[in-house]
Amino acid sequence: MEALLLRPQRSGLQRRFLAWRKYVAVLRVSVASNLAYAMEVFFRALMLIVLVFILSQLWITTFHARGARSLNGFSIQSLIWYLVAAETIALSLPGLSRRIDLEVRNGQLAYLLGKPCNYVLYNFAHYLGERLVRLVINGLVGATLALIVAGLPHFSWQGILAWPLVTFLALCIDFSIYFSIGLLAFWTEETQSFAMIFSRLTLVLGGVLAPIEIFPQPLRSIAQALPFTAILYGPARTLLHFDLAQLSLLLLQQVVTLGVGCLLLAGLYLVAIRRVSINGG
């Protein structure tokens, strides 16, 4: 009798386990396919060298002109490593919104909806595999450049342990926003303008060009109040200048931003699915 009662529970757990294995398989295939073109990803990462080198030379000149050893707690060495950390995340973003836009327009979305997997989770696994490969290669290239220009970093072990968590949440926020932008293809003829606006706002107000502490007022207060800092500035600062209070605020900001992004994605996705059904798939 006990075996009969436990059997449905085990089968239910097995079904959930098998369901998640599908997305793990998609993640592995995405990683493998991107590693097959690792040299292409590497040459794309060379853009990081150009950007970090130019920005680092500008900041070195600024430090020398002002005769300062630090600006708002950032030395030139920590500032260069900050730029590498922020640019590594920023330049690892794949063309997610463009791919979703294309799938909506050519009807591939309707085909993928017929597969035995969730369309959003399928794309998240594919996106995560692609972005992880880019993130690792960008990080290796950027760290090599920073070692040459600025020397060894002064990372704390707390920052190293916290960085993967806050970076993963930042990647999830990016996914929810850019996936939502791609779904706008159901209503607009062009979605890349929305993606460009969001990416530029993230680059400027997200602290990729300089830490938020260096921004003049009132731009600093405005940038800190906006969710863009949760994507780039927060993870990069956690790695360089770990602070438990700042980490708690960052995690709260990331969770709230991710929650809003997921609600937006879910709402757009449900409405889009109805339109696919109305149009006969």
Side-chain angles (χ1 to χ4, degrees):
M1 180 64 71
E2 293 180 358
L4 292 175
L5 291 175
L6 291 175
R7 189 176 301 170
Q9 183 179 1
R10 290 179 180 175
S11 62
L13 292 174
Q14 288 176 354
R15 285 196 298 269
R16 283 191 286 270
F17 177 72
L18 291 175
W20 283 108
R21 283 185 60 186
K22 293 185 295 186
Y23 304 112
V24 174
V26 174
L27 173 63
R28 293 174 59 185
V29 170
S30 179
V31 170
S33 61
N34 281 274
L35 287 177
Y37 300 97
M39 290 306 299
E40 179 183 353
V41 179
F42 172 77
F43 284 116
R44 288 182 180 178
L46 296 180
M47 178 61 67
L48 185 147
I49 295 179
V50 176
L51 292 175
V52 172
F53 180 78
I54 293 175
L55 291 174
S56 63
Q57 293 305 308
L58 289 174
W59 283 112
I60 290 173
T61 303
T62 302
F63 272 74
H64 288 167
R66 298 186 60 174
R69 292 187 176 182
S70 66
L71 289 176
N72 294 347
F74 281 86
S75 65
I76 185 61
Q77 182 189 41
S78 62
L79 184 58
I80 291 174
W81 278 101
Y82 169 88
L83 293 173
V84 168
E87 291 285 0
T88 295
I89 300 174
L91 295 180
S92 66
L93 179 68
L96 175 64
S97 61
R98 183 179 294 106
R99 189 176 76 246
I100 302 301
D101 185 319
L102 183 61
E103 289 178 357
V104 171
R105 297 185 185 282
N106 62 17
Q108 191 176 1
L109 180 143
Y111 167 74
L112 293 174
L113 289 176
K115 290 188 173 183
C117 60
N118 183 275
Y119 179 72
V120 178
L121 294 178
Y122 169 84
N123 277 281
F124 177 70
H126 186 278
Y127 156 87
L128 193 60
E130 184 176 2
R131 189 150 196 187
L132 286 177
V133 173
R134 295 188 177 196
L135 192 69
V136 170
I137 294 179
N138 286 348
L140 292 175
V141 172
T144 302
L145 174 64
L147 285 172
I148 296 173
V149 176
L152 292 172
H154 298 289
F155 296 154
S156 64
W157 64 268
Q158 298 98 325
I160 295 175
L161 291 178
W163 186 79
L165 173 61
V166 294
T167 301
F168 176 74
L169 291 174
L171 303 187
C172 293
I173 293 171
D174 264 347
F175 173 81
S176 64
I177 298 302
Y178 283 101
F179 193 94
S180 300
I181 291 175
L183 289 177
L184 292 178
F186 277 97
W187 297 275
T188 63
E189 294 184 359
E190 175 61 38
T191 63
Q192 292 311 301
S193 57
F194 298 105
M196 182 177 295
I197 291 172
F198 182 80
S199 65
R200 296 302 179 269
L201 288 174
T202 304
L203 292 177
V204 175
L205 299 177
V208 72
L209 302 178
I212 301 298
E213 289 90 343
I214 300 179
F215 284 17
Q217 292 289 6
L219 182 60
R220 183 193 308 174
S221 299
I222 295 174
Q224 289 175 339
L226 294 175
F228 303 107
T229 54
I231 301 174
L232 299 176
Y233 164 75
R237 192 186 189 283
T238 299
L239 183 62
L240 267 298
H241 292 161
F242 178 83
D243 182 82
L244 185 58
Q246 291 290 335
L247 176 63
S248 301
L249 292 175
L250 173 61
L251 289 174
L252 177 61
Q253 183 186 24
Q254 287 184 320
V255 170
V256 172
T257 304
L258 181 59
V260 173
C262 289
L263 288 176
L264 176 64
L265 189 157
L268 289 173
Y269 180 69
L270 291 176
V271 175
I273 293 302
R274 293 196 195 102
R275 292 176 65 92
V276 172
S277 300
I278 289 174
N279 293 330

